[in-house]
Amino acid sequence: MKKNILSIMALLALSVSALSAQTAAPVAPTVDAGDTAWMIVATAFVLLMSIPGLALFYGGLVRRKNVLNVFMQVFILVAVISVEWVIIGYSNAFGSNSIEALKPYIGGFDWAFLNNIGINDLSPYFISHSQVGLDGAAVGTIPHIIFIMFQCMFAVITPALIIGAFAERINFKGFLIFSVLWSLFIYNPVAHWVWAGDGWLFKLGALDFAGGTVVHINAGVAAIVTAIMLGKRRDYKGHAIPAHNITYVVIGAGLLWVGWFGFNAGSGLAADGLAANALMVTHIAAAAAALTWALLDWIIDKRPTIVGISTGAVGGLVAITPAAGFVGIPGALAIGVLVSLVCFCMVAYVKPKLGYDDSLDAFGVHGVGGILGALLTGVLASPLIQSSYSGAIYGNFHQLWIQFLAVGVTIVFSGVGTFILFKLVDKLVGLRASDKHEAIGLDETQHGETAYNNFD
Amino acid sequence: MKKNILSIMALLALSVSALSAQTAAPVAPTVDAGDTAWMIVATAFVLLMSIPGLALFYGGLVRRKNVLNVFMQVFILVAVISVEWVIIGYSNAFGSNSIEALKPYIGGFDWAFLNNIGINDLSPYFISHSQVGLDGAAVGTIPHIIFIMFQCMFAVITPALIIGAFAERINFKGFLIFSVLWSLFIYNPVAHWVWAGDGWLFKLGALDFAGGTVVHINAGVAAIVTAIMLGKRRDYKGHAIPAHNITYVVIGAGLLWVGWFGFNAGSGLAADGLAANALMVTHIAAAAAALTWALLDWIIDKRPTIVGISTGAVGGLVAITPAAGFVGIPGALAIGVLVSLVCFCMVAYVKPKLGYDDSLDAFGVHGVGGILGALLTGVLASPLIQSSYSGAIYGNFHQLWIQFLAVGVTIVFSGVGTFILFKLVDKLVGLRASDKHEAIGLDETQHGETAYNNFD
Amino acid sequence: MKKNILSIMALLALSVSALSAQTAAPVAPTVDAGDTAWMIVATAFVLLMSIPGLALFYGGLVRRKNVLNVFMQVFILVAVISVEWVIIGYSNAFGSNSIEALKPYIGGFDWAFLNNIGINDLSPYFISHSQVGLDGAAVGTIPHIIFIMFQCMFAVITPALIIGAFAERINFKGFLIFSVLWSLFIYNPVAHWVWAGDGWLFKLGALDFAGGTVVHINAGVAAIVTAIMLGKRRDYKGHAIPAHNITYVVIGAGLLWVGWFGFNAGSGLAADGLAANALMVTHIAAAAAALTWALLDWIIDKRPTIVGISTGAVGGLVAITPAAGFVGIPGALAIGVLVSLVCFCMVAYVKPKLGYDDSLDAFGVHGVGGILGALLTGVLASPLIQSSYSGAIYGNFHQLWIQFLAVGVTIVFSGVGTFILFKLVDKLVGLRASDKHEAIGLDETQHGETAYNNFD
Amino acid sequence: MKKIEAIIRKSKFEDVKEALYDQGIEWFSYWDITGLGKSTEEQIVRGQVFQSSYIHRRMLSIVVRDINLEKTINAILDSAWTGETGDGKIFVYDIEDTFRIRNRESGPDALFNKE
Amino acid sequence: MKKIEAIIRKSKFEDVKEALYDQGIEWFSYWDITGLGKSTEEQIVRGQVFQSSYIHRRMLSIVVRDINLEKTINAILDSAWTGETGDGKIFVYDIEDTFRIRNRESGPDALFNKE
Amino acid sequence: MKKIEAIIRKSKFEDVKEALYDQGIEWFSYWDITGLGKSTEEQIVRGQVFQSSYIHRRMLSIVVRDINLEKTINAILDSAWTGETGDGKIFVYDIEDTFRIRNRESGPDALFNKE
Ligand SMILES: Nc1ncnc2c1ncn2[C@@H]1O[C@H](COP(=O)(O)OP(=O)(O)O)[C@@H](O)[C@H]1O
Ligand SMILES: Nc1ncnc2c1ncn2[C@@H]1O[C@H](COP(=O)(O)OP(=O)(O)O)[C@@H](O)[C@H]1O
Ligand SMILES: Nc1ncnc2c1ncn2[C@@H]1O[C@H](COP(=O)(O)OP(=O)(O)O)[C@@H](O)[C@H]1O
């Protein structure tokens, strides 16, 4: 969705800044300080989503004896995936492959260790703002480096989302190896397919503004696969186990909401009307979904719950993610209401029937919400937002078909890939924590620490 | 304070960016990426003030058995008011009314569902930065949509502030209905009066940079009215009830402080010297007020308390809000010191005498601080900041008189309006939680949840 | 490193925005909205580091009975140092002295109360972006005021870092007087030496991008001096005392990490490639350091701990601080790995041997990490980042020598100065809390409050 | 002297407290406990009904002189009652001796304030 | 009737719980306590080994009819055992009387459900 | 064997702990409780003085052999004393039996370490 889309540029002429318009002459392309300012902050916001956002959201939902383990999982992923990203991940995901046949499927190693990327290079990726570089190729208005770091935060949070599926019963060493492999062999390729200039799903025209398929479906499917393969928690009886600290859940949901503005409105890679619109639909979809879940709780179970409304908000944020650059207010409201209806049914009715133990509903919220969002993007995409994209309700049924394809392919790839990696790591070091460790709690057994201490 | 102020533009010529100066020629007006970047972030910051900022500040102050109820109240307001805002609120508050006689008092429905507002439209509201649009009218440098969302966060936090008054004893359903009605019938009109281009207080010249009257006085007066009408908590004996988690109070105050930079420095709608100055006076007023409260605690009650210093900081932030675009360092220091002196007296001496139960001092801090700030704006406004505005100490007593008027009108309108809405909702569904529910705690009875769980 | 560096400008011509290039003609210099937007946010981020970031990180590490005391110390420093900064601190640190002989050592009083600084003045300090002012002198692209506030947050957090050394046993009044004096007589001069245009270490060419010497070594040395002079906690037996709330430690570390993007990437005073690079190396150094500490824990003590990984991350952030504008990915990885190795040894082996009680390892992490970072900057500074700076591995051994000098001077000055101030304040009001107060806890005895209350 | 240990619902605590005051009980101590047994409490998490067998209860410890035993027990029985499973239990123990730390009074005298 | 106070490792709680169920114990209460004594627990903070003499334990309070005393004690002794120092203690007290608040039953009858 | 239940001020805990060590008490357990009664503790919230009747206290549970009873009580009486209202109480109960889970020792032998 990002590279060399000169046709869009023309259509978006109005929104292209006067500055870049002037630089169409053979002057050196320049960094736009405003776009860069926003992207720096957006990057920080997406980090805030992981730590402390997601750590709090997930950590609050588990039992007291496992909260540090969840915090640690998120924290170490921030560390390890960031290092992986600059060493090889970015190159694999967004780079170009020297082997022609592989180009659509995976990037190469040219950018390993961010080799050949200078501090003054401009981003080769852009959406609405671009300018002509000295070599004649179009470039964006932000430094290449900030694009790399923005994407780094996406690479970090995606495996972190899976944590929700296997929380409270996984061996830490196994978890770590699995997550790194998963990033290398599942995340990086899928990101390449959907977002890289020569990715095959990108070329096909699959729409994923900020990561519906790459992030949420991808992680959500991995979640359900690991949840099933790892087996249930020893005392799981088909229903959620109450959160040890619901205030943490809400604080986490709040920080996720705020950080998601960086995630979605940052994905336009500029500070412009498209970013403003992305922020708006993100906010409104989250609000509508939160409200819908609260009402479902209220109607069905007599009282609106705060875990419910938080879950609804996150569901809304998930579902609007692929659509954030393509829909307006009506789309946002529709997506928000629908995602809560579907996820509520999933979590409250389907899951207990199927009996798998997705501890914190990583699949139920991220997987299901992501799938719904990706499909609805194909339905609701409005030419009023980006004139070259439209969905089924505007007669473009082809887009919906492409979305189905992208969703299907991601589900299969992530599902099968996760299965293989899981088997492998399970053989290698074992993934399931011992029954005794699970009973005592993972904080004590994996890290030798207790979250809350009362002496003195 | 925001629309079509061409005279100011001329005076601020120095601060108007070269870019917009160049576009005075008949070129299409453009989005300024820098201003937009800042406004996107400012919007996120104001959301951060509500969740998790205010939720933590208020939630920490209540008893353990009511903390989730407070979190839920803030959270659902974020959801419901945001939806209300795009459906009708923004149009009512900032739109123009087709009925001439109503123009000064309330906006119309042209912008309902944000109809007719395109992704590339520029904000019709601006302060120091503007440019000439294609139709000859002046427009701002940021997308209209981001102005709408920035204002959305104000619309959300204002009713959320009232929560402090009736915490620990209100029925959730009643609270929700009351809050929505209050937003529709009190917040939206007052915002129109003070901030819309054709609002009557705006035309009169009332100064309210970031919401002293619209947000704080408005919410503060509603707070005391609801506190009195709802009656005291069953075990209230004329003094504050100790906070269940003071660390939450401090974390909340810290996030409010940080978020308030978005609130106040964002209200200039641009990233320029005025925003920098607003940030500075906001910070210094908060610091001075925090320090003053700590010293009062120390002198009068022997020891500086952390609840005290946090309250002082919030008081300072409230009081500087209307003045942030009009005063410099001396004004900030004066406002900071005075607000803590006044609010301390109010909360420590006057309130216990009067005997009403404003649980978390929503009136004592936001109401009183807002009134003081609005009046002091009329005294201290300095032409060094915005040259066309000055206060009583610069000889312009008229401004002080206008401020009195604006404050008085807001108090009366909010007071009477709140009274009527309260009566109505109380009749309809009942506002007071039952005595039994209050004793057991609202978390359990309204939401069926317990914040902190210790099993395992 | 910041003033009048016209030579650098030329070299960085590519990164200078077209806008400012155009204004080389005798037009009035203008605020760049993009740079300003970023600096406003960076300022907010650095505040976020103090409250609630550092408050949580330190507060979580102490015992339950002292957590509020730590929160209060951080909070009151935000208040009191901010006021000190605008009254006199900024002028002393960044102003020019009318007495010629003092110019290199301390600023004067011209800018006391921010006198003579107008809302539209541009920052006299800049790094890569500058423009020619009306008077012919080069000025930056952001308002002077935002530079002042950005630096204000540095002045606030530096004494706050020292808190870690004397936590759990200091008298609050003594602490407050000591901290204010320390800011006036230690922080302001050192900031002047290293950062002011006429500072002697600056002129010498000492490199300190974001505060390795000024902030971390300075505070770290003060930390060990006060820790030793104050004596051990009554029940300290040569090893860390377990944290009362490890989740707070992680949340704090997360917020520090996010906020540090403002600290380091903001120190370039512009939103450009240099800022992007600073953000990247900050992130990668923190990630590498976190990972290294986790591995050390794992190898040496069998299990990776969450307190360990958080400490590692903070250590990495500290060490990259002076280098953030001078190194790339290889430098960041090297610094990250080395700092954890060194700090781990320091904290786990050296400290217990020496037997001083640096409660939360303010010296072990900030002092040692800062020294290492400052020296490694002299080794690793790469001309690929800022072409005029290079370190020993590029043959410029002179730079390393200057770094040694700057580090040595700072250590001696901070050490001796802290010693004198400590003696003074100890005489005046006493610094050590009474044994009884220490046993009962400082929350109760210094503030009359208890953090967590369970009634009802 | 007897020690009364009463395990009650948290929600009845305020009622019990007042009933005890009315009977002239000057002091008691309490702390929160978890009761684990056959009965369950319902909690709804994300739309799923969760039947928890861990139940929050409050433990009251009241030491009284023998003459006050009956009225104290009756006060608790009356005020803590809802009639539904889970109302709690009262246990009575014998106490051999009591000391008031402040003035080293011992025996029943340590249990009430003469001043 | 006897009251059994068992101080056990938190990590053995689930085992003890199940053992008690198996013996037909219908109800018990528990809360967390700290044990302070000669033995220590190791904790590693920033690479330093910290020997804490404060040890987290769980206190179980179980009131049983005399006939059930022995089997309950045996159940705990078996299920809470690891063999290492710090396994905990069991104390047995006499109880004079018991009341069930719900229906004012008293004596041993209050301890089990006939329904 | 006797069980000593001492309710003391939190602030005197460290003193009491040391006094007990000095008397050779090897082990005890404690937890935090709230005391509710006629006396109050002052707290200042936003300049208003709040008189709370809920008072934080610490409960110590120490089981000793009969021969150690007196010296233990005296140690607590001495070390927990401040002389002001609210110093706390000590209750003494009889214990029928004690078991050490680690080695199934029972009776007084379970209370001290012979090793
Ligand atoms: N035998 C027992 N020993 C210890 N605690 C008990 C015992 N029986 C009941 N409890 C406590 O009392 C609480 C209330 O149970 P109870 O009132 O006996 O139910 P019911 O009303 O059906 O008799 C339980 O949650 C448990 O904490
Ligand atoms: N005499 C006692 N009084 C009260 N509590 C005790 C006593 N002895 C032991 N405990 C509690 O039991 C816990 C376990 O100690 P214990 O099992 O006696 O060690 P060991 O296995 O070496 O005998 C202690 O932490 C303490 O809480
Ligand atoms: N009869 C009682 N039963 C249970 N706990 C008691 C009793 N009397 C006192 N306590 C506990 O002891 C604490 C201290 O009170 P106390 O020492 O009796 O005051 P005073 O010094 O005036 O006698 C109380 O807060 C309460 O927790």
Side-chain angles (χ1 to χ4, degrees), chain F residues 89-100:
Chain F
K89 293 245 172 23
I90 300 175
F91 304 123
V92 181
Y93 310 73
D94 191 57
I95 283 223
E96 298 210 334
D97 213 346
T98 300
F99 300 84
R100 188 197 300 272

Side-chain angles (χ1 to χ4, degrees), chain A residues 19 22-23 28-41 43-45 47-49 51-52 55-56 67-68 71-73 75-76 78-80 82-83 86-87 113-114 118-120 134 143 145-146 148-149 152-153 156 172-173 176 244 248 255 443-456, chain C residues 12 14-19 22 32-35 37-38 41 45 48 63-65 129 235 241-248 250-251 253-255 257-258 261 265 270-277 279-280 283-284 286-288 290-291 294 298 302-310 313 329-330 333 384-386 439:
Chain A
L19 190 65
Q22 291 166 356
T23 54
T30 57
V31 162
D32 182 290
D35 290 343
T36 305
W38 166 229
M39 291 312 296
I40 292 176
V41 180
T43 303
F45 276 9
L47 176 60
L48 186 77
M49 286 175 70
I51 48 167
L56 280 162
V67 53
L68 289 183
F71 274 58
M72 181 71 175
Q73 289 174 338
F75 210 100
I76 207 162
V78 173
V80 78
S82 297
V83 172
V86 296
I87 292 182
F113 282 95
L114 304 192
I119 176 173
N120 294 316
L134 284 178
I145 289 176
I146 198 66
I148 297 170
M149 293 318 289
C152 174
M153 302 308 172
V156 162
F172 188 71
K173 193 199 263 179
L176 189 56
H244 94 281
Y248 278 12
L255 291 177
D443 292 1
E444 183 59 35
T445 58
Q446 309 291 306
H447 312 296
E449 295 175 305
T450 318
Y452 312 99
N453 287 306
N454 211 349
F455 345 108
D456 285 293
Chain C
L12 289 174
L14 267 175
S15 78
V16 171
S17 88
L19 191 65
Q22 293 166 354
D32 182 289
D35 291 343
W38 167 229
V41 180
F45 275 11
L48 186 77
R63 277 169 287 189
R64 212 177 163 82
K65 64 185 177 186
H129 284 202
D235 48 1
I241 290 176
H244 93 282
N245 189 338
I246 296 183
T247 64
Y248 278 11
V250 193
I251 302 170
L255 292 177
W257 194 326
V258 171
F261 287 173
D272 57 4
L274 190 61
N277 186 69
L279 182 146
M280 177 174 71
H283 186 65
I284 295 305
L291 213 55
W298 214 332
K302 307 282 183 323
R303 289 178 293 204
T305 67
I306 179 84
V307 169
I309 201 172
S310 304
I329 287 291
L333 289 171
L384 289 172
I385 308 304
Q386 294 197 44

Side-chain angles (χ1 to χ4, degrees), chain D residues 27-29 61-63 100 102 111, chain F residues 7 35 57 85-89 91:
Chain D
W27 277 108
F28 66 92
S29 305
S61 160
I62 318 163
V63 179
R100 187 197 300 273
R102 178 162 49 92
L111 283 175
Chain F
I7 296 170
R57 288 282 178 272
T85 302
D87 273 351
K89 293 245 172 23
F91 304 123

Side-chain angles (χ1 to χ4, degrees), chain A residues 177-303:
Chain A
I177 298 173
F178 170 79
S179 295
V180 173
L181 293 178
W182 192 88
S183 290
L184 286 171
F185 296 108
I186 314 287
Y187 181 80
N188 292 345
V190 175
H192 189 83
W193 301 353
V194 179
W195 282 336
D198 46 15
W200 74 277
L201 283 173
F202 172 70
K203 291 209 156 153
L204 212 68
L207 297 184
D208 185 2
F209 192 70
T213 41
V214 180
V215 175
H216 295 289
I217 300 181
N218 210 355
V221 171
I224 194 166
V225 172
T226 50
I228 292 170
M229 292 179 78
L230 204 53
K232 300 175 200 177
R233 280 167 293 177
R234 55 200 289 283
D235 48 0
Y236 180 73
K237 310 234 162 57
H239 42 57
I241 289 176
H244 94 281
N245 189 339
I246 297 183
T247 65
Y248 278 12
V249 179
V250 192
I251 301 170
L255 291 177
L256 283 171
W257 194 326
V258 171
W260 224 293
F261 287 173
F263 199 93
N264 282 4
S267 284
L269 304 178
D272 57 3
L274 190 62
N277 186 69
L279 182 146
M280 177 173 71
V281 295
T282 300
H283 186 65
I284 295 304
L291 213 55
T292 306
W293 197 298
L295 289 176
L296 288 171
D297 263 352
W298 214 333
I299 293 163
I300 298 174
D301 298 315
K302 306 283 182 326
R303 289 180 294 205

Side-chain angles (χ1 to χ4, degrees), chain D residues 91-103:
Chain D
F91 304 124
V92 181
Y93 309 74
D94 191 54
I95 282 222
E96 298 211 334
D97 213 346
T98 299
F99 300 84
R100 187 197 300 273
I101 295 174
R102 178 162 49 92
N103 53 14

Side-chain angles (χ1 to χ4, degrees), chain E residues 7-9 33-37 39 53 55-57 84-89 91, chain F residues 25-30 61-64 100-103 105 110-111 113 115:
Chain E
I7 295 170
I8 62 167
R9 294 176 188 278
I33 62 167
T34 310
L36 199 51
S39 118
S53 55
I55 296 181
H56 290 293
R57 288 282 178 273
E84 278 160 62
T85 302
D87 273 353
K89 293 245 168 29
F91 304 123
Chain F
I25 299 301
E26 288 178 343
W27 276 108
F28 66 90
S29 306
Y30 70 83
S61 159
I62 317 163
V63 179
V64 294
R100 188 197 300 272
I101 295 174
R102 178 163 49 91
N103 54 13
E105 270 177 336
L111 283 175
N113 280 321
E115 312 101 67

